[in-house]
Amino acid sequence: MAVAIATTPGAAAALFSTTTPALVVVAAHRDAGVDAGRTLKALTARFGGRGGGRPDLAQGGGTEADTATLTTAARELLSGD
């Protein structure tokens, strides 16, 4: 699903499972100005877990935060705030 969203020029997406520890997928179109791998590393640095990937697609798991907290953090990272 994240890859499908990120096929749109300028788009980026972060998806999370609703379980804890959460699974995370980050995807970004090459024109989005977002590095999916760096975004995932920032999330796992803040909330624990492991993962990795490329600038266009990254995945990980083991994050110890609820979905709302992860979503807020991902929005900040993806928007550059």
Side-chain angles (χ1 to χ4, degrees):
M1 184 182 288
V3 173
I5 293 167
T7 60
T8 303
L15 303 177
F16 308 98
S17 67
T18 57
T19 60
T20 301
L23 302 174
V24 181
V25 176
V26 181
H29 188 273
R30 66 182 172 275
D31 296 338
V34 172
D35 184 313
R38 286 185 188 161
T39 301
L40 177 69
K41 288 293 184 189
L43 289 170
T44 57
R46 185 169 172 187
F47 300 109
R50 296 178 52 177
R54 305 179 311 265
D56 63 327
L57 181 65
Q59 60 185 352
T63 54
E64 294 291 338
D66 60 75
T67 305
T69 302
L70 289 168
T71 301
T72 299
R75 282 185 180 142
E76 291 169 2
L77 291 166
L78 293 174
S79 69
D81 290 345

